[in-house]
Amino acid sequence: MRLHLKISIGVMTALLGVLSVSPAMASPQIAKANKCFECHSIDKRIIGPTIREISDKYKDQAGAESRLADKVRKGSVGVWGTTPMQAYPDMPQKDIEAVVRWMLDR
């Protein structure tokens, strides 16, 4: 009986750990699935600015999350040079917000 109880508690603890993963933990996977890493990386310039550069520029600005989400949704050009960032109008808003929050936390 004690063994079953210990196993049950262990399984429940593991399940709670999996279920409590924050959306930010999944954000790199969301970014990868939406091809963000084709132009951006954490700390090496590819085509666009690095995620650290974006975070450093915007993290302390009021309204940065919604402005960046808007740039992802509609595309952007001119902030980091002349190469345009494509728009992602079909990306779910909750995914855009999760990726932007993750980026700003870097």
Side-chain angles (χ1 to χ4, degrees):
M1 181 73 165
R2 283 187 169 173
L3 179 60
H4 286 88
L5 181 59
K6 287 181 181 180
I7 291 172
S8 294
I9 290 171
V11 169
M12 287 174 49
T13 302
L15 283 173
L16 285 174
V18 169
L19 294 174
S20 67
V21 171
S22 72
M25 296 292 284
S27 298
Q29 291 79 14
I30 295 169
K32 183 177 181 180
N34 286 281
K35 301 181 180 173
C36 300
F37 295 128
E38 289 183 7
C39 297
H40 305 280
S41 79
I42 297 293
D43 55 11
K44 180 183 174 194
R45 279 237 178 180
I46 301 173
I47 295 171
T50 69
I51 291 167
R52 287 196 205 291
E53 288 174 316
I54 296 166
S55 177
D56 288 346
K57 182 177 180 97
Y58 291 101
K59 69 181 170 188
D60 294 326
Q61 292 183 18
E65 189 175 315
S66 63
R67 281 197 323 275
L68 288 174
D70 197 49
K71 289 176 183 285
V72 173
R73 167 96 34 236
K74 297 177 182 175
S76 178
V77 68
V79 176
W80 300 95
T82 59
T83 303
M85 183 180 122
Q86 74 177 55
Y88 289 87
D90 298 326
M91 188 173 170
Q93 187 65 26
K94 66 179 180 56
D95 288 352
I96 291 174
E97 291 168 359
V99 170
V100 167
R101 276 192 302 275
W102 170 76
M103 287 174 32
L104 291 173
D105 286 342
R106 297 301 101 203

